[in-house]
Amino acid sequence: MHRELADIVEFDEELRTLVADMVATMYAAEGVGLAANQVGVDRKVFVFDCPNDDGERITGVVCNPVLELPEGKERVLDVADEGCLSLPGAFVDCGRPDTASVTGQDENGNDIRFDGDGLLARCLQHETDHLHGMVFGDRVPEKSRKRLYKIHEKYADMYPTDWPVSPIMDDE
Ligand code: ZN
């Protein structure tokens, strides 16, 4: 998950198929966002379907994301529970700026921009981090990080090793 990813340069059928697969995987795993490297594809694209501070669901596809975060007085840290589909079952407090904007392209190569607050601000930062080879465990203090991986270990047996690519099997 810490590998360098390739920029998206061709907005072709292959990319659109990847995006459709990622959206399906995200919904099956009940996540609010998913980055390509979480399904083993090292290319810079993420998908999301996440509520903002007004509870409005925003969905989108972002290729080659560039994040804009508030600075100076505008920068207010929001500390809240954060989790990741690549660490299923585990949540710890993570402080992040309470608003974030991301620019990039959609799956057809059109320029797009999303401005997020609430959970959406967190989601846009979390997914962009993934595409820069960072996971949210890297963003929390060491004590929280240890707790995060410990909680995850407890749950790890319940998930396939390539989760969220493979679904959870029923016990039948
Ligand atoms: Zn994640």
Side-chain angles (χ1 to χ4, degrees):
M1 293 299 287
H2 292 94
R3 290 184 304 265
E4 185 72 28
L5 279 80
D7 288 338
I8 304 282
V9 286
E10 280 185 62
F11 298 87
D12 54 8
E13 208 47 48
E14 192 194 339
L15 175 66
R16 285 185 283 276
T17 303
L18 168 66
V19 164
D21 283 350
M22 285 170 61
V23 169
T25 301
M26 173 179 73
Y27 287 134
E30 295 179 5
V32 294
L34 185 73
N37 49 342
Q38 293 184 274
V39 293
V41 178
D42 288 346
R43 301 175 69 188
K44 285 186 189 161
V45 54
F46 74 81
V47 298
F48 67 94
D49 179 344
C50 183
N52 63 16
D53 214 17
D54 298 324
E56 188 188 346
R57 264 173 68 182
I58 312 292
T59 64
V61 175
V62 186
C63 301
N64 310 315
V66 177
L67 199 62
E68 287 170 36
L69 294 174
E71 282 177 30
K73 272 202 305 224
E74 304 287 299
R75 191 178 169 95
V76 178
L77 277 195
D78 170 33
V79 179
D81 246 9
E82 188 162 325
C84 178
L85 289 179
S86 297
L87 286 173
F91 294 85
V92 293
D93 275 349
C94 181
R96 292 190 185 266
D98 64 348
T99 62
S101 300
V102 71
T103 56
Q105 298 85 42
D106 67 11
E107 70 273 39
N108 299 307
N110 301 312
D111 286 335
I112 40 116
R113 175 190 179 93
F114 293 99
D115 299 304
D117 56 13
L119 186 59
L120 181 59
R122 185 170 294 280
C123 175
L124 296 176
Q125 294 174 66
H126 180 114
E127 301 309 331
T128 303
D129 275 355
H130 271 305
L131 300 184
H132 292 116
M134 209 166 168
V135 293
F136 89 102
D138 303 332
R139 293 253 182 222
V140 299
E142 189 173 349
K143 221 169 140 186
S144 303
R145 183 160 54 241
K146 282 191 177 148
R147 195 155 53 86
L148 177 68
Y149 287 100
K150 215 168 157 180
I151 304 170
H152 168 59
E153 261 172 47
K154 244 184 16 194
Y155 287 96
D157 288 351
M158 296 166 56
Y159 293 89
T161 48
D162 64 348
W163 169 263
V165 177
S166 298
I168 300 175
M169 295 296 162
D170 284 332
D171 295 330
E172 297 171 62

